[in-house]
Amino acid sequence: MSLKIENVTLYTGKGEKLSQSALVIEGNKITAIGEEAAAKNAATVIDGRGKTILPGFFDMHIHLGMDGIADPFAQIATDSQATSAYRHQANAQKQLESGVTSVRNLGSKWHIDLAYRDAVNSGLLAGPTVYGSGQPIVMTGGHGYPLATEADGEDEIRKAARQTLKQGADVLKLMATGGVMTPGVDPGSPQLSEKEMRAAVEEALHAGKTTASHAQGTAGIQNAVRAGITTIEHGIFLDDETIELMIQYGTVLVPTLAAPYYIVKNADSGAIPPHAVKKAAYCYEVHGESFRKAVEAGVKIAAGTDAGTPFNLHGDFAKELELMHEGGMNVRDIIASATYSAASVLNVQNETGSLEKGKIADFIMLNEDPEENISAFRAVKAVYKGGELVHESLGKETNSAT
């Protein structure tokens, strides 16, 4: 069955914008775009006049086992494996409805994200495409230890990496520094060493997998970059030397600007653990400045929210894109960071991540053009995954940013 959507604005995900254009899909693949699509016939034709089509979004940093409640670690401590699995499905649906057709889950206790991924891939459940890390690898007592595998020294880290890869991880998540949510650790303090992380990176490379490092403090970020980590998560304290190092190594930044934003915004709720509020307030301004410097310097960026952290809800991907825009990124670069650039990080850019002939038909339709209104990312009219309509909104209003 073929479908043609015509008279639409298309952002390809690779920096191109096509006006009064068209898209044709057959089965789960894109078979034509642009002039070729306009000239093609199809069994079903939709007039998309006034609408904008983008590739399906990738949220490159989420936690499907966390709901965005004020104290997610308390939630993890009391959830059973079954409850956590149900939570993964519920949160994944919220992601899909917001236009996120692919997610990189960077930390689930019991490796449940990997089981959830397999359930989606087998057709047992409907959801976004999942690239999972399973349990992160941390030093003893390190950031995120309640949902992680603790290991110390190169040999233990190497074994933990191999065990996580054995479970089927698509990416290894490593903690290079302390963080906001874990009590008793400093976001600026290094944790896993450069040598320890390099051992895990080597194992990931041998298995054809990628790596991600929670890295907030300058020294820890540099350790991770030199170790060969694929992506730096958060990157709160970036100085000029660190930015230059990231450019030299081709390291990608996943900024997660929404994570501290929502903690600071809800600091007076009284529900977020005080240690997290204090640390987030300290990091918030410098995080924004670090992001602006990275953008200006040309650091590679992929969009990710850290959804699941306090008040950082699944389904609110648009907020991250709005914050990136406030931080100096133009709309086409933002779209690329959430589509083709993200797919490139995962080494799946030849199959997905952009609107091109022969690629998987994951795409979304917006009611407005984001170059005309940045809040257009909230006006999701329809979501297609593998050529199938998986969500459609009946409303035409753009939700206000929160």
Side-chain angles (χ1 to χ4, degrees):
M1 195 71 172
S2 58
L3 169 66
K4 177 179 179 179
I5 305 176
E6 59 186 9
N7 301 319
V8 291
T9 298
L10 294 178
Y11 287 92
T12 66
K14 300 175 75 173
E16 300 166 292
K17 179 181 181 180
L18 307 177
S19 300
Q20 289 300 301
S21 194
L23 177 76
V24 174
I25 62 174
E26 294 184 18
N28 70 340
K29 295 289 183 70
I30 297 170
T31 56
I33 70 162
E35 292 181 3
E36 181 184 1
K40 272 198 167 191
N41 295 320
T44 302
V45 178
I46 296 174
D47 186 349
R49 198 174 308 274
K51 303 294 190 282
T52 298
I53 289 180
L54 317 173
F57 290 136
F58 286 67
D59 189 332
M60 292 293 283
H61 189 136
I62 69 167
H63 297 278
L64 287 171
M66 293 158 47
D67 285 348
I69 66 169
D71 189 353
F73 281 5
Q75 183 178 68
I76 290 168
T78 56
D79 272 356
S80 66
Q81 291 189 39
T83 301
S84 181
Y86 299 144
R87 211 179 292 286
H88 277 64
Q89 169 67 351
N91 290 329
Q93 295 311 301
K94 295 172 185 175
Q95 292 281 352
L96 199 58
E97 291 173 8
S98 71
V100 175
T101 55
S102 298
V103 299
R104 190 175 64 152
N105 191 83
L106 291 182
S108 283
K109 192 174 181 180
W110 302 297
H111 307 295
I112 286 177
D113 56 333
L114 306 182
Y116 177 71
R117 172 202 63 197
D118 294 345
V120 172
N121 290 347
S122 70
L124 180 63
L125 296 172
T129 301
V130 177
Y131 303 90
S133 72
Q135 293 191 168
I137 299 170
V138 308
M139 74 177 199
T140 298
H143 175 60
Y145 72 84
L147 71 156
T149 300
E150 294 175 288
D152 303 294
E154 293 173 59
D155 289 344
E156 283 191 12
I157 296 294
R158 192 178 297 277
K159 184 171 184 178
R162 289 173 176 173
Q163 289 174 329
T164 306
L165 291 166
K166 179 182 177 181
Q167 294 294 322
D170 302 294
V171 53
L172 294 181
K173 168 80 175 294
L174 304 158
M175 301 300 193
T177 71
V180 169
M181 289 308 302
T182 307
V185 302
D186 179 359
S189 177
Q191 293 198 343
L192 292 179
S193 70
E194 179 182 335
K195 289 183 178 180
E196 287 174 318
M197 285 186 282
R198 186 176 293 119
V201 168
E202 287 174 359
E203 295 304 320
L205 290 173
H206 292 164
K209 306 297 184 180
T210 58
T211 51
S213 181
H214 165 100
Q216 298 185 348
T218 306
I221 297 169
Q222 292 185 5
N223 285 341
V225 172
R226 288 192 297 263
I229 287 287
T230 309
T231 63
I232 293 295
E233 309 302 307
H234 318 302
I236 291 174
F237 297 95
L238 293 175
D239 60 12
D240 292 341
E241 179 185 353
T242 307
I243 287 171
E244 184 60 36
L245 194 67
M246 291 181 70
I247 292 171
Q248 177 187 337
Y249 278 78
T251 314
V252 178
L253 174 65
V254 180
T256 68
L257 299 172
Y261 169 85
Y262 277 118
I263 293 176
V264 171
K265 177 177 169 51
N266 293 280
D268 294 336
S269 68
I272 303 172
H275 68 266
V277 172
K278 183 178 179 180
K279 287 188 279 187
Y282 172 67
C283 294
Y284 181 62
E285 294 295 336
V286 69
H287 191 192
E289 181 57 32
S290 289
F291 176 73
R292 284 187 286 272
K293 288 166 62 176
V295 170
E296 291 171 3
V299 171
K300 295 178 182 178
I301 293 171
T305 61
D306 208 1
T309 53
F311 295 92
N312 188 4
L313 304 179
H314 293 276
D316 191 23
F317 187 66
K319 187 60 187 181
E320 184 72 20
L321 307 187
E322 292 163 357
L323 291 171
M324 291 166 77
H325 191 251
E326 290 177 21
M329 278 190 85
N330 68 56
V331 169
R332 295 192 198 186
D333 286 344
I334 290 170
I335 292 171
S337 78
T339 57
Y340 185 76
S341 296
S344 298
V345 168
L346 294 162
N347 295 324
V348 295
Q349 72 276 14
N350 292 330
E351 294 83 43
T352 186
S354 58
L355 300 180
E356 294 182 86
K357 186 175 181 178
K359 290 198 172 181
I360 296 170
D362 289 354
F363 62 94
I364 63 176
M365 181 185 291
L366 304 179
N367 284 319
E368 300 179 57
D369 184 338
E371 280 195 324
E372 296 176 4
N373 176 9
I374 193 65
S375 293
F377 290 123
R378 298 182 174 276
V380 177
K381 171 65 175 174
V383 181
Y384 288 79
K385 185 170 185 287
E388 294 186 8
L389 178 64
V390 294
H391 176 72
E392 185 171 21
S393 173
L394 299 178
K396 296 183 179 180
E397 296 295 323
T398 300
N399 296 327
S400 61
T402 56

